[in-house]
Amino acid sequence: MIFLIQFEDPEFGNELCNLTNITELPPERAVLKILQKVPEDSEPETSISSLDTASVSSPSDSSNQSFPFVSVRQHGNSQWPSPFPIPKFSYDVELQLEKGNGNFKEDGTLLTVPREMKMDILDSIAQAIFSFKAYPNNQELESVSAALIEKYPCLKDPGSGTGYHSWTMSIKYKIGNYRQKLRTAGCSEVTVNQKRVNNDSRCLKKAKRCEINFLPDNPVGQTDYSLQKEKDALQEEMKKKHFSMAVVDSKMDLTFSLRRKEIVDEEPLVADVLKQWPALFLEDQVCAEFYRITQTNLKSTFLSSLDEYASKMIMLYRSCGGAYGDEMKTLLDQLDQVII
């Protein structure tokens, strides 16, 4: 069995290139594509290709040489940065801003921003915001405009207390327009909110805290129809008395986008999810699905948090009274004996 590893090379517009040496990977984050090469003399039925994506640490990081599996390409980082990184604008805009900052430093003169220049700034900022979050709140939008003014003080609002109120409002409207463009283009994360009941904003479906892969698009080369066939095959596999966990893992990874669309858009009952996705209720798949959504290991995170709060929980149990407190006292006494 022969595997071919390719990676998206940023120096060539993220085109896939064959990986021959680990040092060729980008320094921060790499997106890998693993293909299984089938010998020419093998049977056609055994031909299998995989579109797995992997995230790796920097090649210089000797403490992590493994390639942890990621089922979908990550849309963005749910952790809102502080301060917000203002993107690079077009060359002519950067020249005007540099000159404007020089004049502001000399005599406090504010820059008069032409319409085209302002549109260029807002377009770049909207794309940068969406790389982190599709629906930022007012506080997050203010942090963006504050970072913009801090980097380019010549853009301050004249007579404004904060100096960036008008920029906050402009960014807010621009990100709304940008979402509409993405909705027209078919971006799943915003398309799901296209139809609202009575235009009620409470019906908005958006990523919550720590949800990175909230509503990903289908993998490259896959459609809802092809993923539905994979889902049917997964259901048939789960009906077997001794099903293959390798098959279940691969098909659960492949159908992740379809499953998220059903759960987020249709909001089915737990019983319906169990019927449609029985593999999702396996212990291993609960942890795997949690990782697909949040890129966080469920068990290690839970156990580390449990260790952090264990002492406070024990103090709380010791303070309980009544019959429940007596029962807890017996258990805690046994715990004390084990610790001693």
Side-chain angles (χ1 to χ4, degrees), residues 127-172:
Q127 295 178 39
I129 290 175
F130 193 83
S131 67
F132 293 98
K133 185 177 287 188
Y135 296 91
N137 56 40
N138 291 334
Q139 183 178 359
E140 290 164 342
L141 291 176
E142 286 187 0
S143 70
V144 177
S145 55
L148 176 66
I149 296 305
E150 183 177 357
K151 185 175 183 180
Y152 302 109
C154 62
L155 296 177
K156 282 185 178 181
D157 296 338
S160 172
T162 59
Y164 51 77
H165 176 73
S166 67
W167 282 105
T168 302
M169 299 305 298
S170 296
I171 294 172
K172 181 176 182 179

Side-chain angles (χ1 to χ4, degrees), residues 190-234:
V190 292
T191 303
V192 70
N193 295 315
Q194 188 168 7
K195 296 181 180 180
R196 305 185 194 174
V197 180
N198 297 327
N199 200 28
D200 189 352
S201 60
R202 291 176 298 177
C203 297
L204 281 177
K205 297 179 176 66
K206 54 186 179 180
K208 304 298 182 182
R209 183 179 179 183
C210 296
E211 292 179 346
I212 295 177
N213 293 314
F214 171 67
L215 192 59
D217 293 317
N218 292 336
V220 177
Q222 297 290 340
T223 64
D224 286 350
Y225 177 76
S226 64
L227 293 180
Q228 183 63 44
K229 292 179 65 176
E230 296 290 343
K231 174 185 175 182
D232 295 339
L234 176 61

Side-chain angles (χ1 to χ4, degrees), residues 56-277:
V56 298
S57 61
S58 172
S60 61
D61 185 3
S62 59
S63 64
N64 185 6
Q65 294 296 333
S66 61
F67 291 179
F69 176 78
V70 182
S71 59
V72 294
R73 185 174 181 182
Q74 184 173 319
H75 157 67
N77 186 352
S78 64
Q79 296 293 332
W80 191 260
S82 179
F84 188 87
I86 299 300
K88 281 281 187 180
F89 305 124
S90 60
Y91 182 67
D92 60 308
V93 171
E94 288 287 348
L95 285 177
Q96 295 180 68
L97 291 174
E98 183 179 355
K99 184 177 179 180
N101 274 350
N103 293 335
F104 179 82
K105 187 176 182 180
E106 288 182 4
D107 52 19
T109 302
L110 297 177
L111 180 65
T112 301
V113 183
R115 184 178 184 277
E116 291 185 1
M117 179 181 178
K118 186 172 184 178
M119 289 301 101
D120 183 274
I121 293 174
L122 294 176
D123 286 338
S124 299
I125 289 179
Q127 295 178 39
I129 290 175
F130 193 83
S131 67
F132 293 98
K133 185 177 287 188
Y135 296 91
N137 56 40
N138 291 334
Q139 183 178 359
E140 290 164 342
L141 291 176
E142 286 187 0
S143 70
V144 177
S145 55
L148 176 66
I149 296 305
E150 183 177 357
K151 185 175 183 180
Y152 302 109
C154 62
L155 296 177
K156 282 185 178 181
D157 296 338
S160 172
T162 59
Y164 51 77
H165 176 73
S166 67
W167 282 105
T168 302
M169 299 305 298
S170 296
I171 294 172
K172 181 176 182 179
Y173 290 125
K174 174 55 70 172
I175 193 66
N177 294 336
Y178 187 65
R179 282 196 298 264
Q180 181 59 44
K181 289 182 180 180
L182 294 175
R183 188 177 294 115
T184 304
C187 178
S188 299
E189 191 168 353
V190 292
T191 303
V192 70
N193 295 315
Q194 188 168 7
K195 296 181 180 180
R196 305 185 194 174
V197 180
N198 297 327
N199 200 28
D200 189 352
S201 60
R202 291 176 298 177
C203 297
L204 281 177
K205 297 179 176 66
K206 54 186 179 180
K208 304 298 182 182
R209 183 179 179 183
C210 296
E211 292 179 346
I212 295 177
N213 293 314
F214 171 67
L215 192 59
D217 293 317
N218 292 336
V220 177
Q222 297 290 340
T223 64
D224 286 350
Y225 177 76
S226 64
L227 293 180
Q228 183 63 44
K229 292 179 65 176
E230 296 290 343
K231 174 185 175 182
D232 295 339
L234 176 61
Q235 291 176 342
E236 291 299 319
E237 182 68 25
M238 288 299 298
K239 292 179 181 179
K240 298 178 181 179
K241 184 176 181 180
H242 301 289
F243 54 82
S244 171
M245 278 304 301
V247 173
V248 170
D249 288 340
S250 63
K251 292 191 179 298
M252 284 292 287
D253 286 325
L254 185 60
T255 57
F256 175 60
S257 60
L258 178 64
R259 185 163 57 256
R260 288 299 296 171
K261 287 179 183 178
E262 292 183 5
I263 293 176
V264 174
D265 198 9
E266 301 175 11
E267 299 180 351
L269 299 174
V270 175
D272 295 331
V273 177
L274 176 60
K275 181 179 179 181
Q276 295 295 322
W277 303 96

